[in-house]
C-alpha cells in the first residue's frame, strides 16, 4: 500500500504530508498497482495464443499463498499486532514474503494499519469507505476511495510514531530497506521455475506473467477490496465502535482476514476465526509453525473474554447487516 518513504519528522507528528510524499505515493501506485493491472489484461489476451497449463496454475496459486501468508500472518498478525512471537528465520521470511506482495514495505504497511485501527471509520482512517456521504453516490465514492483513491490521496502515517518498535528492530529495518529487491525476487522466482519446469523461454515468460504479474494483481485486488467489503457487507457480532464486519464468503481467499469484526474486537488475537466453523487459514499456518517450535506465545482470547465482549453489545447494534443489503 505504501512505499518505503523517508522519515523526516519527529515522533510526535502522527502523519506526514508534503510534495515528496505525494510523488512517492503516485509512483508506487503506478508501478505496483497499475502495471500489474495492465499485465493482467495482457495475460488474458495472451490466452488466445498461449493457453494456461498446470505449471502456470501452480505458480499462480503457490505465489498467491506465499505472499498472502506474508501479508496476513506476517505484516498483519505478527508485525502490526504482535499476536505471537517468532524466531529470527520466521520473522525475516514473513517480512520478505509480505514485501513480495508489493503492498508496501513492512514498516510502512504496519504504520498504515495501526493508523486504521486508531481511527477506524472516523476522520483520519486512511481507507474507510464510510466517510464519503450517504446514499448510492456516497457508497460509490467510498468504495472507490477505499479501493484505489486513498493510495494517492491520504496523509502518510509517520512510522516514527506508529511503528517505532520496527524502526528500532535492526533485522526488520534491513528487510524493509530492500523492499524493491523483494518485489523483484517475487517476479524472478516464478519466471525461473516456469522456464525450468517447461524447459523453454516461453515457460519463463508465462511463469513471470502468471506467477508474478497476475499474482500481484490478484493479491492487490484482494487486499484493497478487504478495505471496503469488510466495512460494508457482513455481520457484526461484536460492538467495536466502527463498521468492521465478518464475511463468510471471503474467508478462504482472504486467509481468514474476512472475520474482520472479530479482529477489531480482539486485534492482538492470532486467530480471527473465533468459532470452529470460521475458516482461518492464516491461523492454521501459525498453528503449524507453533508445532515445529518456530513460533510461540500465540495469543487467542478465552471463551470468557469472547462472552464478555458479546455481552457488552448495545441494543442498537443488534442489526447485523447494512441497510444497503436489504
Amino acid at each position: 500500500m505504501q512505499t518505503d518513504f523517508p522519515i523526516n519528522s519527529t515522533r510526535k507528528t502522527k502523519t506526514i504530508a508534503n510534495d515528496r510524499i505525494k510523488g512517492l505515493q503516485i509512483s508506487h501506485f503506478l508501478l505496483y498497482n497499475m502495471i500489474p493491472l495492465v499485465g493482467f489484461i495482457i495475460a488474458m489476451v495472451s490466452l488466445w495464443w498461449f493457453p494456461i497449463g498446470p505449471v502456470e496454475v501452480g505458480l499462480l496459486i503457490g505465489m498467491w499463498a506465499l505472499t498472502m501468508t506474508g501479508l496476513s500472518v506476517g505484516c498483519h498478525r505478527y508485525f502490526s499486532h504482535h499476536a505471537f512471537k517468532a524466531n529470527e528465520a520466521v520473522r525475516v521470511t514473513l517480512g520478505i514474503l509480505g514485501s513480495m506482495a508489493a503492498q508496501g514495505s513492512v514498516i510502512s504497511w504496519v504504520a498504515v494499519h495501526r493508523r486504521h485501527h486508531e481511527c477506524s471509520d472516523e476522520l483520519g482512517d486512511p481507507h474507510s469507505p464510510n466517510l464519503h456521504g450517504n446514499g448510492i453516490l456516497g457508497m460509490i465514492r467510498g468504495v472507490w476511495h477505499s479501493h484505489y483513491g486513498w493510495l494517492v490521496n491520504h496523509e502518510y502515517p509517520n512510522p516514527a510514531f506508529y511503528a517505532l518498535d520496527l524502526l528500532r528492530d535492526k533485522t526488520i529495518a534491513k528487510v524493509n530497506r530492500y523492499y524493491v529487491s523483494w518485489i523483484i525476487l517475487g517476479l524472478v522466482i516464478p519466471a525461473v521455475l516456469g522456464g525450468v519446469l517447461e524447459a523453454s523461454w516461453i515457460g519463463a515468460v508465462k511463469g513471470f506473467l502468471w506467477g508474478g504479474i497476475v499474482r500481484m494483481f490478484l493479491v492487490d485486488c484482494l487486499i484493497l477490496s478487504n478495505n471496503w467489503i469488510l466495512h460494508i457487507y457482513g455481520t457484526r457480532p461484536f460492538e467495536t465502535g466502527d463498521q468492521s464486519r465478518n464475511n463468510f464468503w471471503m474467508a478462504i481467499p482472504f486467509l481468514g482476514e474476512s472475520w474482520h469484526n472479530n479482529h477489531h474486537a480482539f486485534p492482538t488475537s492470532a486467530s480471527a476465526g473465533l468459532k470452529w466453523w470460521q475458516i482461518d487459514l492464516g491461523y492454521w499456518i501459525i498453528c503449524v509453525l507453533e508445532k515445529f517450535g518456530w513460533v510461540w506465545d500465540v495469543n487467542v482470547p478465552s471463551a470468557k473474554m469472547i462472552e464478555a465482549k458479546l455481552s457488552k453489545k448495545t441494543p442498537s447494534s443488534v442489526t447485523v447487516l447494512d441497510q444497503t443489503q436489504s
Side-chain angles (χ1 to χ4, degrees):
M1 294 180 213
Q2 310 299 318
T3 190
D4 188 10
F5 298 139
I7 308 304
N8 59 0
S9 59
T10 68
R11 182 182 173 187
K12 293 181 180 179
T13 304
K14 283 192 170 187
T15 59
I16 308 171
N18 56 44
D19 291 340
R20 188 182 180 190
I21 294 295
K22 184 76 171 178
L24 288 169
Q25 287 177 333
I26 293 173
S27 297
H28 191 277
F29 176 72
L30 293 175
L31 284 172
Y32 305 126
N33 299 98
M34 290 296 98
I35 289 180
L37 171 59
V38 173
F40 174 76
I41 295 171
I42 292 172
M44 293 296 104
V45 174
S46 73
L47 289 174
W48 183 261
W49 299 278
F50 303 105
I52 190 170
V55 171
E56 291 76 42
V57 172
L59 290 173
L60 175 59
I61 294 175
M63 292 301 294
W64 160 80
L66 287 173
T67 51
M68 281 295 292
T69 296
L71 290 171
S72 173
V73 176
C75 292
H76 190 203
R77 307 189 202 201
Y78 178 69
F79 292 115
S80 294
H81 296 293
H82 302 305
F84 57 91
K85 295 179 182 177
N87 65 29
E88 200 76 343
V90 170
R91 297 171 72 244
V92 171
T93 301
L94 290 175
I96 291 174
L97 292 177
S99 299
M100 283 182 181
Q103 293 292 299
S105 63
V106 173
I107 292 176
S108 290
W109 201 101
V110 168
V112 169
H113 187 69
R114 289 176 177 174
R115 172 75 170 177
H116 163 64
H117 272 267
E118 180 187 56
C119 310
S120 184
D121 287 319
E122 297 179 354
L123 188 64
D125 186 337
H127 46 64
S128 172
N130 296 309
L131 304 174
H132 305 274
N134 299 319
I136 297 299
L137 287 179
M139 177 178 289
I140 292 172
R141 285 193 295 266
V143 168
W144 170 255
H145 171 81
S146 190
H147 194 90
Y148 271 147
W150 76 279
L151 293 171
V152 293
N153 186 31
H154 78 284
E155 292 183 330
Y156 175 60
N158 183 5
F161 183 89
Y162 288 101
L164 189 61
D165 55 324
L166 298 182
L167 286 172
R168 289 173 171 170
D169 186 324
K170 292 182 179 180
T171 300
I172 301 308
K174 183 172 288 188
V175 170
N176 193 82
R177 193 174 306 127
Y178 292 101
Y179 170 56
V180 175
S181 299
W182 307 134
I183 295 175
I184 295 171
L185 181 63
L187 297 172
V188 170
I189 289 174
V192 171
L193 289 175
V196 170
L197 292 173
E198 296 196 359
S200 69
W201 286 106
I202 292 296
V205 172
K206 290 165 70 177
F208 169 81
L209 198 58
W210 290 97
I213 298 296
V214 173
R215 178 266 309 169
M216 282 178 63
F217 170 74
L218 293 179
V219 170
D220 190 47
C221 284
L222 285 172
I223 296 301
L224 294 175
S225 62
N226 190 332
N227 295 337
W228 58 271
I229 290 176
L230 304 182
H231 279 258
I232 295 178
Y233 300 108
T235 61
R236 300 185 61 240
F238 298 99
E239 181 56 48
T240 56
D242 57 21
Q243 293 299 315
S244 58
R245 295 167 188 273
N246 291 340
N247 190 302
F248 173 82
W249 303 106
M250 305 303 293
I252 292 178
F254 283 175
L255 260 59
E257 297 294 333
S258 69
W259 308 114
H260 201 54
N261 182 251
N262 292 355
H263 169 62
H264 273 254
F266 300 98
T268 61
S269 173
S271 175
L274 300 180
K275 296 183 178 180
W276 68 267
W277 54 268
Q278 293 180 334
I279 300 171
D280 187 350
L281 299 180
Y283 179 59
W284 296 356
I285 292 169
I286 294 170
C287 289
V288 171
L289 295 175
E290 185 181 28
K291 290 292 184 183
F292 281 100
W294 298 338
V295 309
W296 59 93
D297 290 351
V298 178
N299 296 329
V300 178
S302 66
K304 281 188 176 181
M305 293 170 64
I306 295 172
E307 184 61 35
K309 196 85 173 180
L310 285 170
S311 67
K312 292 180 180 179
K313 192 167 183 180
T314 62
S316 62
S317 64
V318 170
T319 302
V320 296
L321 295 177
D322 245 358
Q323 292 180 354
T324 55
Q325 301 179 75
S326 59

